[in-house]
Amino acid sequence: MTDVAVLAERLIAWPSVTPASGPVFDELEAMLTPLGFEVERFVAGEEKVENLFAVRRGPPGSRHFAFAGHLDVVPPGEGWSATPFSPERRGELLYGRGAVDMKGAIAAMVAAVAEVPIDAGTISFIITGDEEGPAIHGTRALIDRIRARGDLPDLCLVGEPTSTVRLGDMIKIGRRGSVNIWLEVDGTQGHVAYPHLADNPIPKLVKMLEELGSIELDRGTEWFQASNLELTDLAVGNPATNVIPAKATARLSIRFNALHTGADLVQRVAEVAERHGGRALAMISGEAFLTPPGAFSALVADAIHAETGLTPELSTTGGTSDARFLKDLCPVIEFGLLNATMHKTDEAVALADLEVLARIYTRVARTALSHGSGATV
């Protein structure tokens, strides 16, 4: 098999803090083209987010399996024991920003497809440079392009780091949705000694937040933990000690399961805000989704067990990922490396895990493509 660690080093070596573009995509294209992939790249949005769709076509009528992920990374931060974008092997580990989340997984995908014959079926890569950012002009723009091309996959695997203690102990079959809501209450500024001439917005906001905080959204479902509403910011911005402020604001974040939609939750919060003289402005980042346990999850679990001896837990925990968009194309599952060091200083991946992950991905792709046209997986 191709040396997956070398592939990972080549990707890590290019600084690609979100939104990513340019050299790191050049590197991935240089890996895929010799393997027979047709590569399309385009830039979207004012942030100039780069996206890549690469496809290697199998025989007419064959199944289409997609790997998906992102080449952008979070800022490295301070305190690294080595240069974040100079990959370094120390003992059994490979250090560098993106080693886990998720350049290592993309390297494993490339190594995997090199072991899958072209006549096995169609394989594609759906890769964005904006997963760690606003995610507005990344995977969503890719989905529009894929639909316009008519290259819809039958199944998709996202390489997010899902493992917790050992590689292969968990896969994600769904995610909770996410919505952020900004709350505002207007008042009338005035002197604290003359409150009858002013209108203090703070007590109204406090009562609003008290009511919102008392809401039990649900108690969870068979596959999802309970939805939760959290206060993430509270501000007045009043530098004066003797002035009643003109405005008070707060921000909420709701992570919700499949019992709700983002729009319904926004409406519910807006009604509470209006009762207390305020208003709500919202941004829905993604809806909850579930790929029900079945043939696809069993296929991935079998591949993991064959290489590790583990039977993975099927989970919907954690934050959001671009799977929240990709589920509109086809059934999607997430599986990747250990998540212990993602987004941290000295992010690192075990070299042995990279090799095992590549073999698992090879098994998944081969099996997913082997069912033939029209088969249900």
Side-chain angles (χ1 to χ4, degrees), residues 2 7 10 25-39 41 52 54-57 110-111 113-118 125:
T2 304
L7 298 178
R10 288 169 59 183
F25 283 89
D26 295 340
E27 194 70 65
L28 180 58
E29 182 174 2
M31 296 176 186
L32 293 174
T33 301
L35 298 176
F37 282 83
E38 166 198 326
V39 178
R41 292 163 56 180
L52 177 149
V55 60
R56 190 181 73 183
R57 302 186 190 281
V110 175
V113 299
E115 303 299 315
V116 180
I118 293 179
F125 279 70

Side-chain angles (χ1 to χ4, degrees), residues 16-65:
S16 56
V17 174
T18 191
S21 62
V24 71
F25 283 89
D26 295 340
E27 194 70 65
L28 180 58
E29 182 174 2
M31 296 176 186
L32 293 174
T33 301
L35 298 176
F37 282 83
E38 166 198 326
V39 178
E40 178 186 5
R41 292 163 56 180
F42 64 95
V43 174
E46 294 181 0
E47 298 85 0
K48 299 190 182 304
V49 174
E50 185 151 10
N51 300 297
L52 177 149
F53 179 69
V55 60
R56 190 181 73 183
R57 302 186 190 281
S62 61
R63 290 180 65 79
H64 178 174
F65 180 78

Side-chain angles (χ1 to χ4, degrees), residues 113-333:
V113 299
E115 303 299 315
V116 180
I118 293 179
D119 61 4
T122 298
I123 297 179
S124 64
F125 279 70
I126 304 170
I127 306 295
T128 183
D130 188 33
E131 194 274 346
E132 301 289 7
I136 295 173
H137 301 293
T139 296
R140 286 191 272 198
L142 274 163
I143 288 172
D144 290 341
R145 187 65 61 95
I146 290 167
R147 283 178 170 151
R149 291 170 55 114
D151 280 319
L152 302 180
D154 296 295
L155 300 170
C156 179
L157 188 146
V158 180
E160 286 291 337
T162 61
S163 302
T164 59
V165 179
R166 291 181 56 192
L167 177 67
D169 61 6
M170 181 178 289
I171 64 177
K172 305 286 186 177
I173 60 171
R175 294 278 191 167
R176 293 193 298 170
S178 174
V179 59
N180 292 303
I181 304 176
W182 288 261
L183 302 169
E184 298 180 348
V185 180
D186 290 326
T188 301
Q189 183 174 315
H191 197 292
V192 295
Y194 303 93
H196 59 288
L197 299 178
D199 180 15
N200 196 332
I202 296 177
K204 299 176 187 178
L205 180 61
V206 169
K207 291 179 180 179
M208 181 197 306
L209 295 177
E210 183 179 12
E211 181 175 348
L212 289 170
S214 68
I215 295 175
E216 181 182 73
L217 293 172
D218 57 72
R219 297 186 178 182
T221 70
E222 179 183 6
W223 286 105
F224 286 98
Q225 66 194 88
S227 304
N228 61 298
L229 180 155
E230 304 297 335
L231 177 66
T232 58
D233 191 33
L234 181 62
V236 177
N238 182 8
T241 60
N242 61 347
V243 174
I244 292 170
K247 178 182 287 189
T249 65
R251 186 180 65 229
L252 300 175
S253 181
I254 305 177
R255 295 299 171 98
F256 58 94
N257 58 40
L259 294 174
H260 310 275
T261 68
D264 288 343
L265 290 170
V266 170
Q267 180 61 33
R268 187 170 180 178
V269 172
E271 290 172 356
V272 174
E274 289 171 5
R275 281 200 296 273
H276 295 280
R279 58 188 175 275
L281 306 172
M283 182 179 72
I284 301 171
S285 299
E287 300 290 345
F289 77 94
L290 177 70
T291 299
F296 188 18
S297 57
L299 181 160
V300 178
D302 288 346
I304 291 170
H305 187 270
E307 293 293 340
T308 67
L310 298 177
T311 298
E313 175 186 353
L314 307 184
S315 174
T316 62
T317 58
T320 60
S321 77
D322 277 358
R324 69 192 190 271
F325 307 129
L326 292 163
K327 53 87 176 172
D328 293 333
L329 281 180
C330 64
V332 59
I333 282 177

